[in-house]
Amino acid sequence: MSSTTSPITRYHGVAILLHWLLAAALIGIFVLGSYMTDLPFSPQRLQLYSWHKWAGVVILLLSVLRLFWRLTHRPPALPAQIEQAMPRWQVIAHHATHHGLYLLFFAVPLIGWAYSSAAGFPIVLFGALPLPDFVPVSPELAEFIKPWHELSAVAMLLLAGLHVAGALKHVVIDRDGLLQRMWFGR
């Protein structure tokens, strides 16, 4: 960065913490979800499904916190020198990816919750707090909802991959310091 450009404006520490907590939780729940679906029916599989549901509820709560924080604490704008250097399609992709991820932060766990309810397997958070069912028990509805949970989770994984690829582009190719905005430390 030259001395005539403005310094990169960082996100608030709370936003950074929520970003990385949610990233780690999403990686964990996707790995768990992929692993558990191929297991034969067993007590271990039932336990993993419970953990997956608990993680989904925690991710939903983290997403609520993150959205609340974002609505009450305006994030820093994309630095003008970086935005001007990016082709228009990349600026559009940047914003569309963020909006899509926020949508999926809510859609994936809520669809999973609806699927669990329709399949007749209520969520009992941490084995102690029964959560209300979203929909009535219905095998037909469960079969309809199940692929939507899987597809929305894959869509979130793909958007997160695009987000990471964009961040890596700014680190490796552009070397513009953009990642510093969402990194711990100074």
Side-chain angles (χ1 to χ4, degrees):
M1 219 190 304
S2 73
S3 59
T4 60
T5 59
S6 60
I8 301 293
T9 305
R10 293 176 49 79
Y11 280 82
H12 189 280
V14 172
I16 293 170
L17 178 65
L18 289 170
H19 173 272
W20 292 108
L21 273 174
L22 195 53
L26 291 172
I27 291 167
I29 198 169
F30 191 83
V31 168
L32 177 61
S34 297
Y35 172 73
M36 70 185 194
T37 57
D38 292 332
L39 293 176
F41 185 80
S42 67
Q44 179 194 20
R45 181 177 176 173
L46 292 175
Q47 182 62 61
L48 293 177
Y49 268 83
S50 290
W51 292 350
H52 182 79
K53 292 178 196 182
W54 301 347
V57 172
V58 169
I59 286 170
L60 184 60
L61 293 173
L62 280 174
S63 299
V64 168
L65 285 173
R66 186 168 179 185
L67 181 61
F68 176 77
W69 184 265
R70 187 170 184 119
L71 292 174
T72 59
H73 298 80
R74 186 173 178 86
L78 196 59
Q81 71 271 20
I82 293 174
E83 187 168 4
Q84 291 166 2
M86 292 169 60
R88 181 82 179 125
W89 72 267
Q90 286 182 6
V91 174
I92 292 168
H94 164 83
H95 293 293
T97 300
H98 282 96
H99 288 103
L101 283 170
Y102 267 90
L103 174 70
L104 291 169
F105 291 159
F106 291 91
V108 175
L110 289 173
I111 293 169
W113 191 341
Y115 167 64
S116 188
S117 297
F121 297 107
I123 299 172
V124 182
L125 191 59
F126 307 122
L129 180 63
L131 300 180
D133 287 331
F134 259 25
V135 296
V137 174
S138 166
E140 297 81 19
L141 183 58
E143 285 303 309
F144 175 78
I145 295 172
K146 183 179 182 180
W148 290 103
H149 181 59
E150 294 167 1
L151 288 171
S152 61
V154 169
M156 183 163 36
L157 179 69
L158 292 173
L159 276 183
L162 185 61
H163 178 69
V164 169
L168 289 175
K169 176 196 171 284
H170 284 282
V171 171
V172 175
I173 296 171
D174 299 339
R175 296 182 180 176
D176 55 18
L178 189 66
L179 185 62
Q180 295 170 7
R181 295 168 11 124
M182 191 51 82
W183 205 250
F184 295 104
R186 293 266 169 215

